[in-house]
């Protein structure tokens, strides 16, 4: 059975460029989360989707960050005008229970490096 | 919003000894407290969780305790093995999101 799949696994870009990170959740999981993890830190919440809608986007650091989940399955995290401080591992997780609080299944992450 | 603090940041034990990691949370409305294990280059993986209506839960060598009044919870690993070496994260769930602690790097020396 497939777990949460994230692509690319590694992305190196230049300051100012636009990047997209993709997450393919476990089939049937309606809840999807994006987290950002800096070196030596715990995952930092960015945004939570329940189905197609963003139920909570309070963790997005600024308007350069945006995420979509148009069909309630695959999600894309989009970062405009990247900055060196955006360098981190971006983790996606999906869950069956969503707001009811249950196990999050994480992907292996997309490591973003902004030069 | 919720704030989760985790201690210690690093922990080194001898194989066979016990390891204890402690977390505190700030929002009394949080009701679900999982622990995740993260190995190098991997995403975090759930190892045990506890809900706010329970004070303790055990699964083989791993146990978690929760003190709602004091707003703290702990992970206990007994009879540690080298394969327990990893980074462990606690988390607290409230409303829509899960907030994580900063992590504890556990090293089990053979």
């Amino acid at each position: 059975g497939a777990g949460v799949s994230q692509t690319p696994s590694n992305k190196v870009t230049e300051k100012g460029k636009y990047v997209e990170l993709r997450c393919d959740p476990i089939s049937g999981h309606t809840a999807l989360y994006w987290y950002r993890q800096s070196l030596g830190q715990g995952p930092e919440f960015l945004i939570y989707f329940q189905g197609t809608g963003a139920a909570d986007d309070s963790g997005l650091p600024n308007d350069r960050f945006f995420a979509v989940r148009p069909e309630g399955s695959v999600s894309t995290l989009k970062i405009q005008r990247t900055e060196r401080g955006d360098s981190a591992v971006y983790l996606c997780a999906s869950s069956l229970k969503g707001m009811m609080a249950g196990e999050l299944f994480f992907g292996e992450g997309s490591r973003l490096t902004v030069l | 919003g919720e704030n989760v603090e985790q201690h210690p940041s690093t922990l080194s034990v001898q194989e066979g000894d016990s390891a204890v990691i402690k977390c505190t949370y700030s929002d009394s409305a949080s009701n679900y407290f999982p622990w995740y294990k993260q190995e190098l280059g991997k995403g975090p993986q759930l190892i045990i969780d506890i809900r706010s209506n329970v004070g303790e839960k055990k699964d083989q060598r791993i146990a978690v305790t929760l003190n709602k009044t004091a707003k703290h919870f702990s992970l206990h690993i007994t009879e540690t093995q080298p394969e327990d070496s990893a980074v462990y994260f606690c988390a607290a769930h409230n409303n829509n999101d899960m907030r994580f602690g900063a992590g504890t790097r556990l090293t089990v020396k053979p």
Side-chain angles (χ1 to χ4, degrees), chain A residues 95-104, chain B residues 25 29-36 46 48-57 64-68 72-73 91-95 98:
Chain A
S95 173
L96 192 57
K97 293 187 176 181
M99 288 179 63
M100 292 181 64
E103 179 175 1
L104 298 188
Chain B
Y25 61 99
S30 290
N31 55 15
Y32 173 67
F33 307 91
W35 286 88
Y36 284 80
L46 181 75
I48 195 168
D49 56 11
I50 192 168
R51 298 189 184 272
S52 57
N53 59 347
V54 176
E56 183 173 358
K57 184 177 178 181
V64 57
T65 59
L66 171 65
N67 183 326
K68 283 182 60 181
H72 66 69
F73 56 114
H93 182 278
N94 181 17
N95 295 325
M98 196 90 72

Side-chain angles (χ1 to χ4, degrees), chain A residues 19-51:
Chain A
V19 299
E20 289 191 351
L21 307 175
R22 175 189 167 110
C23 174
D24 205 332
I26 293 172
S27 177
H29 282 194
T30 58
L32 185 145
Y33 302 77
W34 282 100
Y35 285 84
R36 177 169 69 177
Q37 187 174 26
S38 300
L39 193 63
Q41 298 295 315
E44 174 193 4
F45 171 76
L46 296 177
I47 187 169
Y48 157 65
F49 288 90
Q50 183 62 40

Side-chain angles (χ1 to χ4, degrees), chain A residues 34-115:
Chain A
W34 282 100
Y35 285 84
R36 177 169 69 177
Q37 187 174 26
S38 300
L39 193 63
Q41 298 295 315
E44 174 193 4
F45 171 76
L46 296 177
I47 187 169
Y48 157 65
F49 288 90
Q50 183 62 40
T52 60
D56 184 350
D57 63 358
S58 62
L60 295 177
N62 52 60
D63 62 5
R64 295 187 298 106
F65 288 75
F66 190 70
V68 296
R69 196 186 184 199
E71 297 178 359
S73 179
V74 171
S75 176
T76 304
L77 177 66
K78 307 181 181 193
I79 311 173
Q80 298 177 321
R81 304 182 305 279
T82 52
E83 300 177 357
R84 292 193 179 88
D86 299 335
S87 296
V89 175
Y90 289 82
L91 293 166
C92 176
S94 70
S95 173
L96 192 57
K97 293 187 176 181
M99 288 179 63
M100 292 181 64
E103 179 175 1
L104 298 188
F105 293 85
F106 283 88
E108 296 195 342
S110 292
R111 180 177 297 278
L112 175 66
T113 303
V114 182
L115 301 177

